[in-house]
Amino acid sequence: MSEAPGFTPLPSKRLLTVTAKMEATPSGGRALLSRLLEDALVSISGLRSSTFEVTPRPLRGRRSVAAVFNGHIDGVSGETIRLLVAKVTCGSVEMVFLDGSNFGALARALKRECPGVEVVTFFHNCEAR
């Protein structure tokens, strides 16, 4: 298909969703909501989407206490942070959607290393009494 004369395609900007490792067919409430949120953001923003999945790992021993106080929970580690920052800086990412406040260490690193990238965090389970 040829493009119209004088047509200049827009830069290929992307939305990167950071979420916990997803199953092929999500069945739980959080997994289903995560998929719904990503679809809604793509529709609203018009950006192309890709996903960065974080694989949760159990923390054990004394090092786990220090890791927790540094925000390294639910699979977040120094290596995860390096991989995410590299993906954002190399991939024309305009917006990063963090699917949970448990990814706070990722938000902090992105704001420091990629200041031009918009970071949005979804806070699950915010109830009022």
Side-chain angles (χ1 to χ4, degrees):
M1 174 182 242
S2 64
E3 296 175 6
F7 174 78
T8 306
L10 294 173
S12 184
K13 296 290 187 175
R14 290 191 316 183
L15 163 71
L16 180 65
T17 300
V18 178
T19 188
K21 182 111 176 111
M22 298 268 258
E23 300 170 15
T25 54
S27 57
R30 182 173 180 153
L32 291 168
L33 179 59
S34 296
R35 185 75 42 90
L36 176 68
L37 288 170
E38 182 178 10
D39 291 346
L41 277 171
V42 169
S43 294
I44 292 168
S45 70
L47 300 173
R48 290 185 312 122
S49 177
S50 60
T51 303
F52 183 89
E53 293 183 342
V54 179
T55 304
R57 288 175 278 176
L59 297 171
R60 293 188 175 84
R62 288 183 220 186
R63 297 182 100 183
S64 66
V65 174
V68 167
F69 283 110
N70 287 311
H72 293 193
I73 59 172
D74 296 333
V76 175
S77 65
E79 180 65 17
T80 306
I81 292 169
R82 282 188 291 283
L83 289 170
L84 177 63
V85 168
K87 183 166 182 123
V88 169
T89 55
C90 295
S92 297
V93 174
E94 185 175 288
M95 177 190 292
V96 176
F97 176 74
L98 300 174
D99 183 29
S101 56
N102 53 325
F103 295 132
L106 298 176
R108 181 176 42 240
L110 287 169
K111 294 310 281 181
R112 183 180 60 241
E113 301 293 329
C114 311
V117 173
E118 185 175 0
V119 178
V120 177
T121 303
F122 184 78
F123 287 75
H124 290 266
N125 299 327
C126 293
E127 293 90 9
R129 293 178 189 232

